[in-house]
PDB file of all heavy atoms in Angstrom:
ATOM      1  N   LEU A  24       5.817  -8.148 -60.352  1.00 82.00           N
ATOM      2  CA  LEU A  24       5.164  -9.444 -60.500  1.00 82.00           C
ATOM      3  C   LEU A  24       4.391  -9.526 -61.810  1.00 82.00           C
ATOM      4  O   LEU A  24       4.361 -10.583 -62.461  1.00 82.00           O
ATOM      5  CB  LEU A  24       4.219  -9.680 -59.318  1.00 82.00           C
ATOM      6  CG  LEU A  24       4.873  -9.922 -57.954  1.00 82.00           C
ATOM      7  CD1 LEU A  24       3.812  -9.977 -56.856  1.00 82.00           C
ATOM      8  CD2 LEU A  24       5.693 -11.203 -57.957  1.00 82.00           C
ATOM      9  N   TRP A  33      -2.296 -12.860 -55.734  1.00 90.00           N
ATOM     10  CA  TRP A  33      -1.679 -14.009 -55.072  1.00 90.00           C
ATOM     11  C   TRP A  33      -0.809 -13.564 -53.904  1.00 90.00           C
ATOM     12  O   TRP A  33      -0.676 -14.283 -52.907  1.00 90.00           O
ATOM     13  CB  TRP A  33      -0.888 -14.835 -56.071  1.00 90.00           C
ATOM     14  CG  TRP A  33      -1.765 -15.454 -57.122  1.00 90.00           C
ATOM     15  CD1 TRP A  33      -1.841 -15.125 -58.445  1.00 90.00           C
ATOM     16  CD2 TRP A  33      -2.728 -16.485 -56.916  1.00 90.00           C
ATOM     17  NE1 TRP A  33      -2.786 -15.891 -59.080  1.00 90.00           N
ATOM     18  CE2 TRP A  33      -3.345 -16.745 -58.168  1.00 90.00           C
ATOM     19  CE3 TRP A  33      -3.133 -17.228 -55.807  1.00 90.00           C
ATOM     20  CZ2 TRP A  33      -4.339 -17.707 -58.322  1.00 90.00           C
ATOM     21  CZ3 TRP A  33      -4.126 -18.189 -55.955  1.00 90.00           C
ATOM     22  CH2 TRP A  33      -4.717 -18.423 -57.207  1.00 90.00           C
ATOM     23  N   ARG A  99      -6.302  -3.715 -44.651  1.00 89.00           N
ATOM     24  CA  ARG A  99      -5.018  -3.565 -43.977  1.00 89.00           C
ATOM     25  C   ARG A  99      -5.185  -2.988 -42.577  1.00 89.00           C
ATOM     26  O   ARG A  99      -4.603  -3.506 -41.616  1.00 89.00           O
ATOM     27  CB  ARG A  99      -4.071  -2.683 -44.800  1.00 89.00           C
ATOM     28  CG  ARG A  99      -2.677  -2.602 -44.194  1.00 89.00           C
ATOM     29  CD  ARG A  99      -1.683  -1.955 -45.119  1.00 89.00           C
ATOM     30  NE  ARG A  99      -1.957  -0.551 -45.332  1.00 89.00           N
ATOM     31  CZ  ARG A  99      -1.029   0.339 -45.698  1.00 89.00           C
ATOM     32  NH1 ARG A  99       0.209  -0.063 -45.897  1.00 89.00           N
ATOM     33  NH2 ARG A  99      -1.331   1.592 -45.892  1.00 89.00           N
ATOM     34  N   GLN A 124      -9.903 -12.511 -14.797  1.00 86.00           N
ATOM     35  CA  GLN A 124      -8.890 -11.985 -15.717  1.00 86.00           C
ATOM     36  C   GLN A 124      -8.762 -12.883 -16.952  1.00 86.00           C
ATOM     37  O   GLN A 124      -8.593 -12.388 -18.069  1.00 86.00           O
ATOM     38  CB  GLN A 124      -7.547 -11.880 -14.990  1.00 86.00           C
ATOM     39  CG  GLN A 124      -7.564 -10.876 -13.848  1.00 86.00           C
ATOM     40  CD  GLN A 124      -6.354 -10.990 -12.942  1.00 86.00           C
ATOM     41  OE1 GLN A 124      -5.670 -12.013 -12.925  1.00 86.00           O
ATOM     42  NE2 GLN A 124      -6.089  -9.949 -12.169  1.00 86.00           N
ATOM     43  N   GLY A 136     -10.469  -9.514 -30.917  1.00 87.00           N
ATOM     44  CA  GLY A 136      -9.351  -9.405 -31.869  1.00 87.00           C
ATOM     45  C   GLY A 136      -9.427 -10.423 -32.978  1.00 87.00           C
ATOM     46  O   GLY A 136      -9.321 -10.089 -34.171  1.00 87.00           O
ATOM     47  N   LEU A 174       1.356 -26.092 -37.319  1.00 71.00           N
ATOM     48  CA  LEU A 174       2.624 -25.505 -36.914  1.00 71.00           C
ATOM     49  C   LEU A 174       2.696 -25.211 -35.423  1.00 71.00           C
ATOM     50  O   LEU A 174       3.725 -25.446 -34.783  1.00 71.00           O
ATOM     51  CB  LEU A 174       2.863 -24.210 -37.697  1.00 71.00           C
ATOM     52  CG  LEU A 174       3.093 -24.345 -39.202  1.00 71.00           C
ATOM     53  CD1 LEU A 174       3.199 -22.966 -39.841  1.00 71.00           C
ATOM     54  CD2 LEU A 174       4.359 -25.149 -39.483  1.00 71.00           C
ATOM     55  N   TRP A 313     -11.473 -26.613 -54.768  1.00 83.00           N
ATOM     56  CA  TRP A 313     -11.421 -27.030 -56.173  1.00 83.00           C
ATOM     57  C   TRP A 313     -12.749 -27.670 -56.582  1.00 83.00           C
ATOM     58  O   TRP A 313     -13.287 -27.385 -57.659  1.00 83.00           O
ATOM     59  CB  TRP A 313     -10.271 -28.014 -56.357  1.00 83.00           C
ATOM     60  CG  TRP A 313     -10.052 -28.451 -57.777  1.00 83.00           C
ATOM     61  CD1 TRP A 313      -9.304 -27.827 -58.727  1.00 83.00           C
ATOM     62  CD2 TRP A 313     -10.589 -29.633 -58.400  1.00 83.00           C
ATOM     63  NE1 TRP A 313      -9.339 -28.545 -59.910  1.00 83.00           N
ATOM     64  CE2 TRP A 313     -10.113 -29.647 -59.739  1.00 83.00           C
ATOM     65  CE3 TRP A 313     -11.408 -30.668 -57.963  1.00 83.00           C
ATOM     66  CZ2 TRP A 313     -10.450 -30.661 -60.620  1.00 83.00           C
ATOM     67  CZ3 TRP A 313     -11.743 -31.674 -58.853  1.00 83.00           C
ATOM     68  CH2 TRP A 313     -11.260 -31.664 -60.171  1.00 83.00           C
ATOM     69  N   LEU A 314     -13.287 -28.527 -55.713  1.00 88.00           N
ATOM     70  CA  LEU A 314     -14.552 -29.192 -56.023  1.00 88.00           C
ATOM     71  C   LEU A 314     -15.710 -28.205 -56.075  1.00 88.00           C
ATOM     72  O   LEU A 314     -16.619 -28.341 -56.904  1.00 88.00           O
ATOM     73  CB  LEU A 314     -14.839 -30.271 -54.977  1.00 88.00           C
ATOM     74  CG  LEU A 314     -13.942 -31.508 -55.008  1.00 88.00           C
ATOM     75  CD1 LEU A 314     -14.169 -32.369 -53.776  1.00 88.00           C
ATOM     76  CD2 LEU A 314     -14.179 -32.319 -56.280  1.00 88.00           C
ATOM     77  N   LEU A 348      -6.669 -43.632 -33.463  1.00 87.00           N
ATOM     78  CA  LEU A 348      -6.606 -42.184 -33.602  1.00 87.00           C
ATOM     79  C   LEU A 348      -6.124 -41.767 -34.987  1.00 87.00           C
ATOM     80  O   LEU A 348      -6.523 -40.722 -35.501  1.00 87.00           O
ATOM     81  CB  LEU A 348      -5.700 -41.589 -32.523  1.00 87.00           C
ATOM     82  CG  LEU A 348      -6.275 -41.585 -31.103  1.00 87.00           C
ATOM     83  CD1 LEU A 348      -5.253 -41.020 -30.125  1.00 87.00           C
ATOM     84  CD2 LEU A 348      -7.569 -40.799 -31.032  1.00 87.00           C
ATOM     85  N   LEU A 392     -21.384 -19.346 -32.580  1.00 85.00           N
ATOM     86  CA  LEU A 392     -22.367 -19.642 -31.539  1.00 85.00           C
ATOM     87  C   LEU A 392     -22.370 -21.139 -31.232  1.00 85.00           C
ATOM     88  O   LEU A 392     -22.432 -21.551 -30.067  1.00 85.00           O
ATOM     89  CB  LEU A 392     -23.762 -19.193 -31.986  1.00 85.00           C
ATOM     90  CG  LEU A 392     -24.057 -17.689 -31.924  1.00 85.00           C
ATOM     91  CD1 LEU A 392     -25.384 -17.395 -32.613  1.00 85.00           C
ATOM     92  CD2 LEU A 392     -24.095 -17.211 -30.478  1.00 85.00           C
TER      93      LEU A 392
END
Side-chain angles (χ1 to χ4, degrees):
L24 290 173
W33 295 110
R99 185 169 67 156
Q124 295 167 341
L174 293 175
W313 184 86
L314 290 170
L348 287 178
L392 284 171

